[in-house]
Amino acid sequence: MNLKFEKVDNRIYDYVAYLDNIEIGEADDNVGEPNSEFLIFFNDRIFEVSEKYNIADFFKEDICDFSLPLNFEQFANLNWINKELSYLSFEIEGKIIFQLIPDFVKWDKPYNIITFAEKLKLILLAHDFSVDFKQDNNFLEHGFQISCNFNFDQNINEEYERFLSVIDKEVKNIFENPTLVDINSIANKYSFPQEIRQACEQYLIYFSKFLEDYGIEISSALESRNGDTLFTVKPKNSNEALSNIRDLLDFYLSLPDLQNLEIITKDYNDVSIQQLLSNIYHLKSQLILAHSIIESKNTTIESLKFSNFQKQIYIESNLKNEEKTLDGLVTIQEFEYGSFKFNLPEIFRRLKRKFNK
């Protein structure tokens, strides 16, 4: 790759970037020192000139990230954003970052921008896209950000079009179907190994009964997309805080990893807890079976922990809340799971199965 940077004056940035002797944009020194990594702001010529190179070729050069111009004719459903302030960049860590600053003068939808961003966040989950924003005064200045991982082996144009095509399509879907996504719901996506998918999905389905026993009524839906499982939960009572349901879902998913669960729950005789244990045992038995199958193929079992496929989360005890069981021989305490702290005794105390006549 013949990529060069030429120092210039009277430009917005300090350098002009050339690829194969064709000007492809301007560049800035990342830290203001010689031989440091460059930030490149490509012009439209990059799409033509870069076709024979993959993204990895660019990051082998002295580049930390680069920004690309947005084609609002090709992606017409994005024409409501502020074209001067919004940008799309590829970062060396392997992420595409799309910062969208809304043009509030152009916004003419029956719902506000934040509601739209929440809808988009839910619908893009199935594509492995993240939508981040803060619901405060900074939203007016910073808008929201959409990101996903890119493939280093593809060329710039391929990943650029893949990323923006997904967003453009889903924005269009929301505009044309205002009720398509209910923001008063929680949606999570899981990538279960094939050997345990059915057992894990069955465990997810039981979450509705777990919440009913806890005193919260919900409706839930399970959908398979491209080998992934999309699980959606919506409270039947609109006054029920989604944050409470989200915390309880995290607690529920942590239970299969909880040590000595049989001893902890021994003095809780309600049928709701017994059925919960039954579902946990079934899940664990399927994990053991899958362990044997996969080990016979000389593959790893590390990813088979239901509650965590990305990284190990350690459970730590906390002495602020506790309850005695087994005549005082065992103490149930609060515990931490990732960034969450659960009041384990109180949760088990609240689980009650109600029977209708």
Side-chain angles (χ1 to χ4, degrees):
M1 172 182 284
N2 183 20
L3 180 65
K4 296 180 179 179
F5 300 96
E6 181 180 307
K7 185 81 171 179
V8 294
D9 296 322
N10 301 321
R11 292 277 193 118
I12 297 177
Y13 301 104
D14 294 334
Y15 299 87
V16 172
Y18 296 91
L19 179 58
D20 297 336
N21 298 318
I22 298 174
E23 183 177 333
I24 55 170
E26 299 184 6
D28 204 7
D29 196 311
N30 192 29
V31 294
E33 298 177 359
N35 301 320
S36 65
E37 293 179 327
F38 285 100
L39 309 169
I40 305 181
F41 305 90
F42 288 129
N43 58 34
D44 292 331
R45 297 296 303 276
I46 187 61
F47 298 113
E48 176 185 350
V49 179
S50 65
E51 283 187 351
K52 61 182 179 181
Y53 302 106
N54 59 35
I55 298 174
D57 292 328
F58 285 87
F59 287 113
K60 291 174 184 177
E61 304 291 330
D62 198 17
I63 299 172
C64 61
D65 67 52
F66 54 80
S67 295
L68 296 165
L70 295 165
N71 186 336
F72 292 99
E73 293 183 2
Q74 181 180 2
F75 305 107
N77 294 293
L78 301 177
N79 62 8
W80 48 270
I81 72 175
N82 189 315
K83 299 177 183 179
E84 301 297 325
L85 299 178
S86 302
Y87 63 88
L88 180 123
S89 63
F90 284 59
E91 299 188 345
I92 194 170
E93 293 82 7
K95 279 196 173 294
I96 304 176
I97 306 292
F98 187 17
Q99 189 70 36
L100 291 82
I101 311 296
D103 186 334
F104 293 96
V105 175
K106 291 184 177 181
W107 187 258
D108 60 353
K109 305 303 175 185
Y111 39 80
N112 60 45
I113 292 280
I114 291 180
T115 298
F116 166 75
E118 290 175 335
K119 287 175 176 283
L120 192 61
K121 181 176 183 177
L122 289 173
I123 204 169
L124 288 179
L125 179 68
H127 300 283
D128 279 332
F129 287 30
S130 298
V131 178
D132 299 305
F133 61 93
K134 294 182 179 180
Q135 297 188 35
D136 54 24
N137 293 333
N138 288 331
F139 186 87
L140 298 176
E141 181 180 355
H142 300 293
F144 58 99
Q145 185 182 93
I146 304 175
S147 63
C148 80
N149 295 326
F150 63 76
N151 185 345
F152 281 92
D153 294 328
Q154 301 288 352
N155 65 46
I156 288 174
N157 198 33
E158 290 170 332
E159 287 297 87
Y160 169 89
E161 292 204 1
R162 175 190 68 86
F163 178 74
L164 288 181
S165 293
V166 169
I167 297 172
D168 187 70
K169 174 186 174 183
E170 299 299 2
V171 168
K172 183 175 185 288
N173 284 341
I174 295 174
F175 285 169
E176 294 181 351
N177 305 281
T179 61
L180 179 66
V181 181
D182 188 349
I183 62 172
N184 297 312
S185 62
I186 297 169
N188 286 337
K189 189 177 73 170
Y190 304 94
S191 298
F192 299 126
Q194 183 64 35
E195 293 82 0
I196 61 168
R197 178 176 298 163
Q198 184 176 359
C200 290
E201 289 181 346
Q202 181 177 333
Y203 187 70
L204 282 174
I205 291 171
Y206 186 75
F207 179 65
S208 296
K209 192 62 179 176
F210 170 82
L211 277 189
E212 182 182 327
D213 292 337
Y214 187 80
I216 300 175
E217 290 191 25
I218 65 166
S219 60
S220 63
L222 206 65
E223 181 181 356
S224 295
R225 294 186 186 178
N226 301 320
D228 294 326
T229 299
L230 186 63
F231 183 56
T232 306
V233 175
K234 180 182 178 181
K236 293 183 178 180
N237 183 351
S238 59
N239 295 322
E240 192 68 54
L242 290 178
S243 60
N244 292 340
I245 296 176
R246 190 176 290 109
D247 290 346
L248 284 168
L249 178 58
D250 286 318
F251 166 77
Y252 178 76
L253 297 183
S254 74
L255 286 175
D257 282 340
L258 191 60
Q259 300 297 316
N260 301 317
L261 189 58
E262 301 86 348
I263 297 176
I264 292 173
T265 58
K266 184 175 179 59
D267 286 353
Y268 296 89
N269 296 319
D270 194 272
V271 65
S272 63
I273 294 180
Q274 302 309 312
Q275 191 167 354
L276 172 62
L277 289 175
S278 176
N279 277 273
I280 294 172
Y281 295 152
H282 175 72
L283 174 65
K284 286 186 172 182
S285 68
Q286 295 302 303
L287 295 181
I288 293 171
L289 178 61
H291 189 298
S292 300
I293 294 173
I294 293 180
E295 276 196 337
S296 68
K297 299 177 182 178
N298 296 319
T299 58
T300 180
I301 196 64
E302 289 297 322
S303 64
L304 289 184
K305 282 187 176 294
F306 173 81
S307 59
N308 189 2
F309 294 95
Q310 302 298 324
K311 60 183 179 180
Q312 182 67 37
I313 297 179
Y314 296 94
I315 297 176
E316 300 176 359
S317 296
N318 187 296
L319 299 178
K320 288 186 178 180
N321 187 284
E322 62 184 31
E323 180 169 328
K324 302 291 185 180
T325 185
L326 287 182
D327 297 325
L329 295 178
V330 176
T331 299
I332 306 175
Q333 303 172 335
E334 287 183 348
F335 76 94
E336 293 183 2
Y337 181 76
S339 58
F340 299 95
K341 181 179 290 184
F342 297 106
N343 189 334
L344 186 61
E346 182 60 26
I347 289 175
F348 284 133
R349 282 194 292 265
R350 290 192 184 185
L351 287 175
K352 301 292 181 185
R353 180 63 54 84
K354 298 179 181 179
F355 296 94
N356 295 323
K357 292 183 179 180

